[in-house]
Amino acid sequence: MSEGQSATARIRWTQEAGQAYGVLTSETLRYTVLEMIKSFRHKGLQAFFETGSKAGIHPPHAARLGRQLARLDLAKTAADMNVPGWGLHALVGNLAGRYAVSVSGNWRLVFRFEGEDAVLLDYQDYH
């Protein structure tokens, strides 16, 4: 086998800050994933992230939330979530230290970082 291949899948490798990240190009592969999302406040969001279940979220938000969660899982800082159209912003008041990106309308994905890990992810309609 060559680097980036196994008997069951191929991986595209990218190098970023000395860390190799693999992107699956087929269905099954056993390898260590560098997970940056460590905890959730919203159980429906956690189920969506872990299983794809849309039962605890608004189904029309699934595609965008999926992209946002995938990016957040690779992010090391809040600035890594500064994607055009997502409206990354720091929260203030009792939510100081947390950040939010727009999902749709008043719905936001809210998170904070502890070191390089995203924690306490929430899915909120807050206005």
Side-chain angles (χ1 to χ4, degrees):
M1 274 181 279
S2 65
E3 183 176 330
Q5 279 190 325
S6 78
T8 58
R10 293 181 188 193
I11 300 178
R12 270 188 323 218
W13 291 98
T14 34
Q15 194 75 19
E16 179 182 313
Q19 296 288 329
Y21 296 96
V23 178
L24 287 174
T25 58
S26 80
E27 294 182 24
T28 309
L29 178 69
R30 293 183 184 134
Y31 76 109
T32 302
V33 176
L34 300 173
E35 294 179 355
M36 301 301 174
I37 294 177
K38 298 296 182 191
S39 64
F40 291 82
R41 292 188 66 173
H42 191 281
K43 290 180 192 224
L45 185 64
Q46 183 174 4
F48 175 67
F49 179 70
E50 293 174 352
T51 69
S53 170
K54 297 176 191 172
I57 65 166
H58 290 286
H61 297 171
R64 187 168 178 137
L65 264 176
R67 290 189 301 273
Q68 290 171 332
L69 290 169
R71 177 136 182 146
L72 189 57
D73 201 33
L74 294 174
K76 294 183 178 185
T77 68
D80 294 336
M81 294 297 291
N82 194 14
V83 173
W86 287 5
L88 173 69
H89 58 283
L91 301 178
V92 296
N94 63 347
L95 295 176
R98 295 190 182 150
Y99 298 86
V101 291
S102 175
V103 177
S104 180
N106 293 334
W107 287 90
R108 303 288 183 267
L109 175 63
V110 178
F111 55 92
R112 71 181 178 101
F113 274 86
E114 287 182 356
E116 294 183 346
D117 299 323
V119 296
L120 300 173
L121 273 67
D122 207 353
Y123 173 57
Q124 299 178 348
D125 179 1
Y126 75 97
H127 282 294

